[in-house]
Amino acid sequence: MQLKGSDGRSGCRCRVPIVRNGGSDTLFLDLNPATHGQVHAFVHGIPHPGYLSKEVFTKVADDFDAYLDSLVVDPDVAEDTWADVVDTDSTDPWRRTVEEWLDKELPGWRAEPWAAA
């Protein structure tokens, strides 16, 4: 089966929205076999100083694994997450999950002042 793109040409131009934020900025997974799952983003412009003023559609990663690998842990989120479990028993399964996550994604977190408590 040959698919037609929005411009009438043959070929798959299939981008599936996979996540949208509250401002309707959207992340798309490209299903075109020629692009092997590239991840694209559409970001709306915000007409205020200090913000992106025009909308943008751009590739953000070569594939979904590369996109996931590019995500980082915000230190404030790490601190808040640890604060939720720090007073639980050290054998608690959720606490162990948080510790493993922080060990993997934020090496050195145990030396942070908020983790020493």
Side-chain angles (χ1 to χ4, degrees), residues 46-110:
I46 301 174
H48 295 289
Y51 291 92
L52 183 68
S53 61
K54 295 184 180 181
E55 59 192 32
V56 173
F57 184 82
T58 188
K59 181 177 87 170
V60 295
D62 288 331
D63 59 39
F64 195 68
D65 285 337
Y67 173 73
L68 292 176
D69 288 343
S70 73
L71 300 177
V72 296
V73 175
D74 180 292
D76 291 336
V77 171
E79 181 177 354
D80 290 344
T81 304
W82 180 245
D84 289 342
V85 300
V86 69
D87 293 327
T88 62
D89 187 272
S90 63
T91 62
D92 180 88
W94 180 241
R95 178 181 170 138
R96 296 295 310 141
T97 299
V98 169
E99 288 176 334
E100 290 172 14
W101 169 67
L102 290 171
D103 287 340
K104 181 179 179 197
E105 302 299 332
L106 197 62
W109 71 274
R110 293 175 189 270

